[in-house]
Amino acid sequence: MAVIADTPVLYVRTAPAEQLLPPPASSGLIGWLRANLFSSFGNTVLTLACAALILWAVPPLLRFLFIDAVWSGSDREVCLASSAHLEPGACWAFVRVWLSYFVYGFYPIPGRWRVDVFFAALAFGIGWLAWLSAPRRDLGAVYFFIVLPVLSVVLLYGFPAIGLPTVPTNLWGGVLVTIVVATVGIVASLPIGILLALGRRSELPAVRWLAIGFIEFVRGVPLITVLFMASVMLPLFVPQRLEPDKLLRALIGVAVFASAYTAEVVRGGLAAVPRGQYEAARALALTYWPTMGLVILPQALRVTLPNIVNTFIGLFKDTTLVFVVGIFDFLRTIEAARGDPKWATPVTATTGYAFAALFYFIFCYGMSRYARSVEARLSRSDRR
Amino acid sequence: MRGAIKPARHGAQAWRVGLQVLLAAVIGGLIYGAFINAADNLARTHISSGFGFWNNSAGFDISQTLIPYSPGISTFGRAFWVGLLNTLFVAALGIVLATLLGFTIGIARLSRNWLVARLAGFYVELIRNIPLLLQLLFWYNAVLKSLPELRDSIVLPMGGFLNNRGLFLPRPVFAPGFSAVIAALLVGIGAAIVLQVWARRRRKRSGAPTPVGRWIAALLVGLPLAALALAGFPVAFELPQMSRFNVVGGLEILPEFAALVVALSVYTAAFIAEVVRAGILAVAAGQTEAAQALGLRSGTTLRLIVVPQAVRVMVPPLTSQYLNLTKNSSLAVAIGYPDLVQVFAGSVLNITGQAVEVIAITMAVYLTISLFTSLVMNLYGRMTAIVER
């Protein structure tokens, strides 16, 4: 025993072993690549196929959009294939020349500041409402749903008494019309949609069935037929002297269409409000409208804001359909400019569409990011 | 939730009835006013009313007809059916392609392969955020219309042509004996169903694995092929012939049709991909873990555990995407594909001027499709509702 006790124990460590790095194949860049791209034979094949797809598609696209693109010029000559320019790229010169038409249509040039002021006022209103911790958002809602519409009509259509000459709507065009249609759609559809959603949940049968009939009818037919209806049937249904102008008819069609979709989204929000909230409101002796206005709707709209934004994205994309009833929205102005013989080249159409796609993508993607951030914020506050 | 809010005061009953009567009166008054105005306006512009035009002959031509139609002889009613069939045809093809593409991309978005998931995500974001009409115009004007002219047609193998007037393929001409092949296919489908049911029953009863996949494949493919061979290949191909100014014969696929199908499937696939992704994610992770704990392999887990549960979540939104696709096919009017809206709310409306009747019929068609689908969906929902124990 003593012998063992005296000999130093060589196989027991007195200090911790030095930490080893993880094997290179399972960490760092290589590890990540192995885990995410080359974890098995099938995965490797997929990765290589995707890489091939990217290599096949991206360089020609970049060449077309940027490297071979023509950025300035005054007519089609610069965008045609020539000895100096074998593979013509995007003809951005065409977009530059026509840009003011794309934005304002035929809106008279001296009055275009009015359009700019309208854009600024609208952006201000949207910012006020979209920024969730902005001060006085109730005032923002009043501004957006009451002040802004009046201001817009005065600015855009004109009010000769204060020195703004009338600009008939057939001169409006481009981004202006796209924004006007989308904005009218949301401004009109939100209040109407809320009323319809409440109507659909009402216990008065006449109200309920009217709301259900309207919502299901509109949601069951394509927007194009609603627009056709607004543009050819509406003039029949009103006395001749009241015949609405073409843009107004399309706006009515879009508002009707959007209301039905907003109603369904709001209904989803109403259903998400717990029953106890209704009962608590009743216990406080609140009648119907105070219950809805003070207790239920504020909660329902808060939950449903992301869905409202998503509906609005759909509406924004759908504004392109006013095209079929002869309104010159942004896409239609591109179609019109594309036909200009001065710029007729094989790449004009693609360039115009690429520009339009960029415009719509930036707006829609921006809105969907916003909707997602609101959703994340809401789910954070629910987790507390 | 209805019924939660009772009138707070007694004696409100009269008020409630009054409100509804008032509402009905206002709506009725509006409709009556619209009716009076419409009669007035129509009388002034000498436009007849009623559905009498249905049997008048339509003087316009239609570029794609699935049923016989000749301008000047066929009626507006016939034109309606031509348009409706074109709509249904494009929608059906679009639904099939969008489903295939959408499922592929939706599953790819959940792939453990980073590149695959990212590419699928990129596709979804790009396509969903660009208006369908813009995509349709792009496919039609920028892609298909920039194909070579007729005389420089791309010659496809098997005798097809591709140019800016369309795709021209050999057209199969079926000899009478071909019905035997169709009969064989039907028999094969029937036998496959019987086999599948038998296998499932056997597995449920005895637990013995009963793989019948190969037999089913043989029934579905082999039987028709055998019939084809036995009947002596009763099918011939009529090749398209290129003449100086056009292509005659063969099967012609209009560029308008192709553009519409491509645009609708590509666009809807992005939405279907999201439905598929959400459906698969909706299956609780514990289900997969439990299946693994029971020793099921990943393929079997997917087939027997995840997919059946995901499908129940997926079917309602999937149907609404199919409905959207069908409704969106009305965008055909922008590129001149003769669908219901283009033929009926376009040509027929312009010729007859009877806006009310024409628009009403067009809307009624879409409404019927929508309501019928939601009826089926309600039944499906009731059938597949989880029975809580």
Side-chain angles (χ1 to χ4, degrees):
Chain A
M1 292 294 272
V3 179
I4 295 172
D6 287 347
T7 15
V9 187
L10 286 174
Y11 52 86
V12 173
R13 277 188 179 280
T14 51
E18 205 164 302
Q19 234 172 29
L20 288 176
L21 286 171
S26 67
S27 72
L29 182 64
I30 296 173
W32 185 88
L33 284 176
R34 268 182 69 119
N36 292 296
L37 295 179
F38 304 104
S39 61
S40 68
F41 176 73
N43 243 337
T44 310
V45 172
L46 273 180
T47 304
L48 293 180
C50 287
L53 183 70
I54 292 172
L55 282 181
W56 171 77
V58 172
L61 199 64
L62 290 181
R63 281 187 71 89
F64 179 83
L65 288 179
F66 303 108
I67 301 170
D68 287 335
V70 177
W71 299 91
S72 59
S74 57
D75 63 7
R76 63 194 286 249
E77 292 302 323
V78 291
C79 294
L80 288 173
S82 63
S83 52
H85 213 78
L86 286 175
E87 277 280 304
C91 190
W92 297 120
F94 156 74
V95 173
R96 268 173 69 161
V97 168
W98 281 93
L99 189 62
S100 69
Y101 175 61
F102 293 156
V103 177
Y104 304 101
F106 288 119
Y107 208 89
I109 293 172
R112 284 186 180 171
W113 63 270
R114 286 154 60 176
V115 179
D116 296 335
V117 172
F118 162 70
F119 284 154
L122 179 66
F124 177 69
I126 291 175
W128 198 346
L129 283 188
W131 181 27
L132 292 181
S133 41
R136 295 308 303 271
R137 288 178 74 228
D138 51 340
L139 275 186
V142 171
Y143 169 77
F144 196 79
F145 289 99
I146 295 167
V147 178
L148 189 64
V150 176
L151 183 72
S152 308
V153 172
V154 170
L155 264 177
L156 295 176
Y157 189 69
F159 197 71
I162 56 165
L164 292 174
T166 307
V167 181
T169 56
N170 59 356
L171 296 181
W172 302 15
V175 173
L176 167 62
V177 163
T178 293
I179 301 274
V180 164
V181 174
T183 314
V184 169
I186 192 84
V187 169
S189 76
L190 209 54
I192 301 177
I194 290 174
L195 284 181
L196 282 171
L198 292 177
R200 194 168 181 163
R201 293 167 63 85
S202 162
E203 51 171 16
L204 307 177
V207 176
R208 190 167 69 242
W209 286 107
L210 269 174
I212 291 180
F214 178 84
I215 293 171
E216 292 304 323
F217 169 71
V218 173
R219 280 162 44 94
V221 297
L223 174 56
I224 284 191
T225 58
V226 176
L227 287 172
F228 267 123
M229 185 166 117
S231 93
V232 298
M233 278 165 74
L234 206 58
L236 286 178
F237 289 152
V238 294
Q240 203 187 10
R241 68 200 145 74
L242 286 181
E243 188 168 314
D245 89 342
K246 214 156 88 177
L247 181 64
L248 187 58
R249 281 184 245 163
L251 290 178
I252 293 172
V254 167
V256 162
F257 188 76
S259 306
Y261 282 83
T262 311
E264 283 302 272
V265 167
V266 173
R267 185 166 77 116
L270 289 175
V273 177
R275 199 191 172 93
Q277 297 291 325
Y278 291 88
E279 288 161 357
R282 287 255 301 130
L284 292 174
L286 293 182
T287 51
Y288 182 77
W289 287 108
T291 306
M292 288 301 159
L294 298 174
V295 181
I296 307 300
L297 277 176
Q299 301 183 60
L301 291 182
R302 199 182 68 110
V303 195
T304 198
L305 183 59
N307 294 331
I308 291 176
V309 176
N310 282 333
T311 314
F312 185 59
I313 295 175
L315 176 66
F316 191 74
K317 289 188 292 176
D318 282 344
T319 58
T320 52
L321 301 194
V322 296
F323 183 118
V324 297
V325 288
I327 310 254
F328 277 73
D329 78 319
F330 176 54
L331 189 55
R332 180 69 184 262
T333 56
I334 287 196
E335 280 291 285
R338 194 171 70 77
D340 176 13
K342 205 176 153 198
W343 284 99
T345 72
V347 293
T348 309
T350 315
T351 307
Y353 294 146
F355 181 63
L358 185 71
F359 169 82
Y360 285 106
F361 182 82
I362 289 174
F363 273 79
C364 297
Y365 188 68
M367 285 187 275
S368 76
R369 294 307 304 204
Y370 171 73
R372 255 177 263 176
S373 76
V374 172
E375 210 160 3
R377 186 183 155 128
L378 287 179
S379 68
R380 259 206 313 279
S381 70
D382 287 345
R383 264 208 307 270
R384 111 206 111 169
Chain B
M1 193 55 64
R2 251 188 290 120
I5 320 144
K6 288 278 183 295
R9 288 169 309 218
H10 296 287
Q13 190 63 29
W15 185 81
R16 283 151 40 92
V17 173
L19 183 77
Q20 295 187 66
V21 170
L22 185 71
L23 187 74
V26 168
I27 302 284
L30 281 177
I31 292 175
Y32 179 72
F35 184 76
I36 294 289
N37 282 325
D40 193 39
N41 285 328
L42 287 173
R44 207 184 49 252
T45 47
H46 304 293
I47 292 175
S48 55
S49 56
F51 294 91
F53 70 93
W54 189 263
N55 291 321
N56 296 351
S57 77
F60 59 94
D61 199 3
I62 302 179
S63 59
Q64 177 188 307
T65 56
L66 298 177
I67 51 175
Y69 172 89
S70 47
I73 300 166
S74 300
T75 60
F76 286 121
R78 190 77 174 175
F80 166 83
W81 289 111
V82 169
L84 177 57
L85 281 177
N86 281 343
T87 288
L88 294 179
F89 183 42
V90 88
L93 197 58
I95 284 174
V96 172
L97 293 177
T99 308
L100 292 176
L101 191 58
F103 269 73
T104 313
I105 290 168
I107 293 168
R109 274 203 88 174
L110 295 172
S111 166
R112 251 175 256 156
N113 187 316
W114 182 83
L115 200 56
V116 172
R118 279 305 151 99
L119 265 184
F122 176 75
Y123 174 92
V124 170
E125 289 297 347
L126 184 72
I127 297 297
R128 280 206 311 176
N129 287 315
I130 295 178
L132 175 58
L133 183 61
L134 175 55
Q135 297 186 32
L136 181 62
L137 292 173
F138 169 77
W139 289 113
Y140 184 63
N141 288 322
V143 177
L144 295 181
K145 281 287 152 186
S146 64
L147 285 171
E149 299 278 325
L150 182 65
R151 59 193 151 80
D152 307 321
S153 291
I154 301 167
V155 179
L156 304 172
M158 314 271 289
F161 298 107
L162 180 63
N163 56 43
N164 62 5
R165 294 200 199 167
L167 174 63
F168 300 86
L169 296 173
R171 188 160 65 103
V173 182
F174 301 111
F178 195 76
S179 49
V181 180
I182 299 195
L185 183 66
L186 292 179
V187 169
I189 292 174
I193 291 173
V194 170
L195 196 62
Q196 175 68 38
V197 169
W198 172 80
R200 179 170 292 183
R201 286 219 183 121
R202 192 176 117 103
R203 200 190 60 221
K204 278 195 175 161
R205 201 178 55 236
S206 64
T210 320
V212 287
R214 256 176 234 176
W215 288 101
I216 285 176
L219 278 173
L220 288 182
V221 181
L223 219 50
L225 279 183
L228 200 63
L230 281 177
F233 295 97
V235 57
F237 286 96
E238 178 198 286
L239 295 182
Q241 298 296 324
M242 175 98 78
S243 72
R244 189 199 270 269
F245 297 112
N246 57 356
V247 180
V248 284
L251 182 71
E252 182 184 4
I253 295 174
L254 294 177
E256 291 83 24
F257 177 77
L260 193 58
V261 168
V262 170
L264 285 175
S265 351
V266 164
Y267 185 74
T268 313
F271 291 87
I272 291 182
E274 283 300 273
V275 170
V276 170
R277 187 173 79 109
I280 293 177
L281 288 180
V283 178
Q287 296 285 325
T288 315
E289 288 163 9
Q292 282 167 354
L294 290 173
L296 296 188
R297 267 181 290 180
S298 68
T300 323
T301 308
L302 208 60
R303 198 158 49 82
L304 296 179
I305 310 291
V306 178
V307 168
Q309 299 187 65
V311 161
R312 213 189 43 236
V313 185
M314 266 153 47
V315 164
L318 208 52
T319 325
S320 91
Q321 290 306 327
Y322 292 159
L323 266 184
N324 281 347
L325 188 146
T326 311
K327 285 189 278 176
N328 282 336
S329 71
S330 59
L331 290 185
V333 74
I335 56 168
Y337 171 75
D339 83 320
L340 179 65
V341 171
Q342 205 263 340
V343 169
F344 213 63
S347 305
V348 175
L349 176 58
N350 284 337
I351 294 169
T352 63
Q354 291 188 249
V356 179
E357 292 86 348
V358 167
I359 299 284
I361 293 174
T362 314
M363 286 184 145
V365 169
Y366 287 103
L367 209 54
T368 311
I369 298 176
S370 297
L371 292 182
F372 177 73
T373 313
S374 41
L375 192 74
V376 173
M377 268 310 97
N378 283 346
L379 287 180
Y380 175 86
R382 222 170 286 165
M383 263 165 52
T384 57
I386 294 180
V387 184
E388 305 248 338
R389 273 162 301 194

